[in-house]
Amino acid sequence: NAGVMQNPRHLVRRRGQEARLRCSPMKGHSHVYWYRQLPEEGLKFMVYLQKENIIDESGMPKERFSAEFPKEGPSILRIQQVVRGDSAAYFCASSDLATVNYGYTFGSGTRLTVV
Amino acid sequence: ILNVEQSPQSLHVQEGDSTNFTCSFPSSNFYALHWYRWETAKSPEALFVMTLNGDEKKKGRISATLNTKEGYSYLYIKGSQPEDSATYLCASRVTSGTYKYIFGTGTRLKVLA
């Protein structure tokens, strides 16, 4: 039973390009959470999704960032027109209702570098 | 706004020393607290989930306590080993109906051989 799979592990984008980060939750998990870690900072909540629904996007920047978790396929975090300040590690975690109180299962993260 | 704070930010101890660090969180509407261990180049792994005031959890040489009335949790490591070197994160959730957890910035522990 594979854990949470994130890809790519590393992503380099030029300023103005789009970045797409993928997260496949653990089998059976229907809740996905995205967190961002800026250099020298902790994990900052971005968005929480259940299948096909955004439940809480209070941590998402209002512009250029979007997230989805379709009925089929991985969750996608999309950053349009990237800027240098978007360089960070983006972590995805998943849970289901039964395990949410046992802790998240995290992916290994995608390290985005904007040049 | 839910603020979770951890102290100290970083800590160096000698092998064999015992150590502890603190996680502070708002005590109102408390629902649950998680502790995670995060080794460099890996992903955070859940250590403990704590929900009740006075909870004590133990896993090997690592233990944690919870005080929900005053809003803090302690993580203890007894007889630290170099393999304990990691960042220890705590995360808190409030009873607002959402399952999101807010993370502290972590305590970076380095155990010197």
Side-chain angles (χ1 to χ4, degrees), chain A residues 35-101:
Chain A
Y35 286 81
R36 174 165 67 171
Q37 184 194 25
L38 293 166
E40 303 304 318
E41 293 189 20
L43 291 170
K44 300 292 185 193
F45 170 78
M46 298 183 76
V47 62
Y48 158 40
L49 310 104
Q50 289 181 35
K51 278 288 185 184
E52 300 185 272
N53 291 307
I54 295 175
I55 306 301
D56 185 334
E57 56 182 348
S58 56
M60 286 274 272
K62 295 283 183 263
E63 295 176 354
R64 302 186 298 107
F65 284 72
S66 62
E68 62 177 12
F69 187 17
K71 190 175 178 182
E72 302 290 338
S75 175
I76 307 284
L77 180 68
R78 184 178 173 213
I79 312 172
Q80 294 178 290
Q81 299 174 325
V82 295
V83 301
R84 287 227 170 100
D86 297 332
S87 295
Y90 292 82
F91 287 90
C92 168
S94 73
S95 71
D96 66 15
L97 270 180
T99 64
V100 67
N101 290 327

Side-chain angles (χ1 to χ4, degrees), chain A residues 35 48 56 58 97 101 104 107, chain B residues 34 36 43 49 99-101:
Chain A
Y35 286 81
Y48 158 40
D56 185 334
S58 56
L97 270 180
N101 290 327
Y104 291 162
Chain B
H34 292 176
Y36 290 83
S43 43
V49 173
Y99 292 116
K100 77 181 187 199
Y101 281 78

Side-chain angles (χ1 to χ4, degrees), chain B:
Chain B
I1 295 176
L2 177 58
N3 278 332
V4 177
E5 296 181 359
Q6 291 186 248
S7 62
Q9 256 190 342
S10 65
L11 188 57
H12 288 191
V13 301
Q14 289 294 135
E15 183 177 358
D17 285 352
S18 293
T19 187
N20 65 84
F21 15 97
T22 306
C23 172
S24 301
F25 53 88
S27 54
S28 59
N29 298 320
F30 172 82
Y31 186 87
L33 186 95
H34 292 176
W35 279 100
Y36 290 83
R37 182 168 180 274
W38 192 3
E39 290 181 71
T40 305
K42 295 187 178 179
S43 43
E45 289 184 5
L47 277 174
F48 301 118
V49 173
M50 311 183 80
T51 54
L52 299 175
N53 186 43
D55 252 357
E56 285 191 36
K57 296 281 175 91
K58 190 168 190 246
K59 188 182 287 190
R61 293 179 292 98
I62 304 178
S63 59
T65 60
L66 179 68
N67 183 323
T68 61
K69 293 191 189 311
E70 295 180 41
Y72 65 83
S73 175
Y74 292 138
L75 189 81
Y76 301 90
I77 303 179
K78 188 177 174 183
S80 305
Q81 300 296 309
E83 57 265 30
D84 295 329
S85 298
T87 296
Y88 292 84
L89 298 171
C90 71
S92 181
R93 176 189 156 195
V94 295
T95 56
S96 63
T98 177
Y99 292 116
K100 77 181 187 199
Y101 281 78
I102 301 300
F103 282 79
T105 51
T107 292
R108 204 172 307 166
L109 174 68
K110 176 80 175 172
V111 182
L112 305 168

Side-chain angles (χ1 to χ4, degrees), chain A residues 10-55:
Chain A
H10 300 275
L11 182 62
V12 179
R13 284 286 176 267
R14 294 186 185 281
R15 279 178 295 170
Q17 290 185 319
E18 179 179 286
R20 279 184 177 242
L21 289 63
R22 292 175 193 76
C23 170
S24 296
M26 272 191 75
K27 189 176 179 183
H29 283 189
S30 57
H31 301 244
V32 164
Y33 315 82
W34 285 93
Y35 286 81
R36 174 165 67 171
Q37 184 194 25
L38 293 166
E40 303 304 318
E41 293 189 20
L43 291 170
K44 300 292 185 193
F45 170 78
M46 298 183 76
V47 62
Y48 158 40
L49 310 104
Q50 289 181 35
K51 278 288 185 184
E52 300 185 272
N53 291 307
I54 295 175
I55 306 301

